[in-house]
Amino acid sequence: MMAMILLAAAAPSTAVDAERAFAAHAQKVGQWTAFRDYAEPTAVMFNPQAVWAHEFLAGRKDPPRSVEWWPARTFVSCDGDMAVNTGPWRNAGNQNGYFTTVWVRQKDGGWKWSMDGGDALKKPLARPSRPAVARASCSGLKKLRSVYAAVTPTTERIAGKPPADAGQGRSADGTLTWSWAVAKDGARHFQAKLWNGRRYRVALDQNIAAPPQ
């Protein structure tokens, strides 16, 4: 019992804490090892089409130096059990970009990521000392239930079969929803919405261009 209490106490309390722990873990054990350690069984990445993270990362050798990244903004469900983090990254070659990661709290109180994407940028984003937090409203939940009832979570992982060209998910309380779609050329769109007490509003909308041919 004491071990369980200590484990719960040590678990990151927010998705921002989890993001920072994930980034620090990558510096200690290696980039792809850390990605495997923090990924849900059905986690999705993009290469540029959607791939199951654990299949894509299986046996993948860590680079000599891990990419560095920092959460700059976080969009959190009312119940605090799901969040979308985004912020800048920088690799060993001093290339810059941004990441976007969907985080889900687990039954043991810890966090795992379920979707990870991003893009390169010509100019680095600012690294804030403290990430901006946007949290969904906890009011009007009875109305919300009728609004999100038709939303279907991403289908389960089937070994050897790639994910579909689109996926979506929502927090257990329905106050945070997210979706992604990939075109045949690898161009991608990601959107996250937060409940404001009356309706959903777009909190994050990202378009990633197709990679050069």
Side-chain angles (χ1 to χ4, degrees):
M1 177 62 74
M2 182 57 68
M4 292 178 64
I5 293 174
L6 292 174
L7 180 63
S13 59
T14 69
V16 165
D17 296 331
E19 194 77 64
R20 288 170 172 158
F22 178 26
H25 190 56
Q27 299 303 314
K28 292 179 181 178
V29 304
Q31 180 172 307
W32 299 131
T33 299
F35 269 74
R36 288 190 293 267
D37 289 346
Y38 275 81
E40 280 193 323
T42 57
V44 172
M45 300 175 71
F46 303 94
N47 189 43
Q49 299 298 323
V51 294
W52 299 118
H54 282 288
E55 292 183 4
F56 176 70
L57 298 173
R60 187 168 291 269
K61 186 177 180 181
D62 293 315
R65 181 178 167 187
S66 173
V67 65
E68 299 177 272
W69 69 92
W70 310 270
R73 293 185 290 166
T74 183
F75 305 92
V76 189
S77 63
C78 162
D79 62 14
D81 287 344
M82 178 178 281
V84 176
N85 292 343
T86 189
W89 59 256
R90 180 181 64 213
N91 65 17
N94 285 324
Q95 295 172 310
N96 297 278
Y98 70 89
F99 71 90
T100 299
T101 307
V102 177
W103 287 90
V104 182
R105 195 190 301 272
Q106 306 299 297
K107 292 181 180 180
D108 63 2
W111 291 83
K112 294 282 188 179
W113 65 266
S114 64
M115 191 225 72
D116 182 81
D119 200 6
L121 296 171
K122 292 182 178 180
K123 294 183 179 180
L125 295 175
R127 177 183 172 182
S129 58
R130 184 175 299 176
V133 180
R135 197 175 193 113
S137 173
C138 294
S139 65
L141 297 186
K142 289 184 178 180
K143 178 181 178 181
L144 176 150
R145 292 186 184 97
S146 65
V147 173
Y148 80 73
V151 177
T152 304
T154 303
T155 55
E156 65 180 283
R157 173 182 167 189
I158 301 175
K161 183 178 180 180
D165 56 6
Q168 59 187 357
R170 65 168 185 254
S171 59
D173 64 2
T175 60
L176 168 62
T177 70
W178 53 270
S179 62
W180 57 264
V182 185
K184 290 183 178 179
D185 63 0
R188 190 166 75 252
H189 178 243
F190 176 84
Q191 189 174 85
K193 296 180 180 179
L194 290 175
W195 179 252
N196 69 4
R198 300 179 304 279
R199 59 182 176 83
Y200 286 105
R201 67 172 182 83
V202 175
L204 187 64
D205 191 88
Q206 297 174 329
N207 287 293
I208 296 87
Q213 297 298 319

